[in-house]
Amino acid sequence: MELAYYSDYAVRLVNTEEPARGTDGLTSVEAVRELFGANQESARRTTDADVTRFRSVRARLRAVFEAADGGDETLAVNLLNSLLLEFPVSPQISGHNFRDDDGRPLWHIHLADHPSNATAGYAAIAAMGLAFHLTEYGVDRLGLCEAPPCRNAYLDTSTNRSRRYCSDRCATRANVAAYRARKRLEADRPDSTGRAAESTQRATASGER
């Protein structure tokens, strides 16, 4: 499994909440288990206590994205380092499910999650995945959607570091809003110009009298 895959753990968790809309999708054990995806062994360890613990980790991961999005590189790194220290991982060489043309294992680094509880395991993987992404691509590749009120987290993998939105849907919505704003401005401009011309004419007429 590629290490880049693990960074998605952080994005999935952060985006279970939309603070600007006041919505929270992390309200049950089932919702927590869905975050693990195919990692069903870890998901089965989830208990009611993990719901609250996951929310706490989510807030800390969002803080990393907020710092990065705000241009505070040092703060983003410090916040992420604190998560890495609290939730360590155990790297292992693995070759399961991946074979070359000769049938030999394609060895890769696998992050074994922490066995104590579901939250510790998920947090360890999410933090390490995010750390790999940050060091490989840069802090400015961690972003928050610019389409209000969304503010979902995303990882910018574009070639020119140009991503601004979490999804095509938000990008389209923002572009439509910008287009309508320009049209309103253009519609108001002739009226303003006309009013200014009328004022000038009146002032000129008064001066001539």
Side-chain angles (χ1 to χ4, degrees):
M1 185 178 295
E2 296 182 359
L3 294 176
Y5 166 84
Y6 292 114
S7 58
D8 289 334
Y9 274 57
V11 174
R12 287 204 302 270
L13 177 54
V14 170
N15 291 346
T16 59
E17 180 185 31
E18 293 184 274
R21 290 191 173 105
T23 62
D24 188 348
L26 205 58
T27 58
S28 66
V29 171
E30 289 71 25
V32 172
R33 286 175 177 163
E34 288 179 3
L35 290 171
F36 285 94
N39 194 346
Q40 293 303 307
E41 181 178 351
S42 297
R44 282 192 291 270
R45 295 204 304 265
T46 305
T47 66
D48 289 334
D50 284 302
V51 177
T52 300
R53 289 195 290 252
F54 260 71
R55 287 176 177 172
S56 176
V57 172
R58 179 181 63 189
R60 295 171 66 181
L61 285 170
R62 175 170 283 277
V64 175
F65 278 92
E66 288 175 343
D69 188 67
D72 196 334
E73 183 172 342
T74 301
L75 177 59
V77 170
N78 288 341
L79 291 171
L80 190 51
N81 272 336
S82 68
L83 283 164
L84 291 169
L85 288 171
E86 185 173 345
F87 302 105
V89 294
S90 301
Q92 294 179 343
I93 299 175
S94 177
H96 62 85
N97 299 330
F98 294 91
R99 301 281 174 173
D100 62 16
D101 294 337
D102 296 323
R104 295 173 300 185
L106 292 176
W107 301 113
H108 59 278
I109 294 295
H110 176 83
L111 300 182
D113 60 15
H114 200 285
S116 62
N117 60 67
T119 303
Y122 193 100
I125 290 175
M128 183 58 74
L130 203 56
F132 274 110
H133 191 93
L134 185 152
T135 53
E136 180 72 17
Y137 300 107
V139 176
D140 57 341
R141 293 295 187 130
L142 277 59
L144 292 173
C145 187
E146 292 184 14
C150 179
R151 302 301 284 168
N152 270 352
Y154 65 83
L155 300 172
D156 186 359
T157 56
S158 63
T159 56
N160 57 355
R161 300 172 183 263
S162 60
R163 186 170 178 179
R164 298 167 56 198
Y165 307 104
C166 69
S167 64
D168 290 340
R169 179 182 179 183
C170 277
T172 299
R173 183 161 55 85
N175 289 334
V176 169
Y179 174 78
R180 289 174 176 170
R182 287 195 301 270
K183 286 299 182 181
R184 286 195 298 270
L185 184 61
E186 291 171 1
D188 291 341
R189 193 170 294 155
D191 292 341
S192 299
T193 303
R195 287 194 297 270
E198 290 175 3
S199 298
T200 301
Q201 290 174 356
R202 285 196 298 270
T204 301
S206 297
E208 290 175 350
R209 289 198 298 270

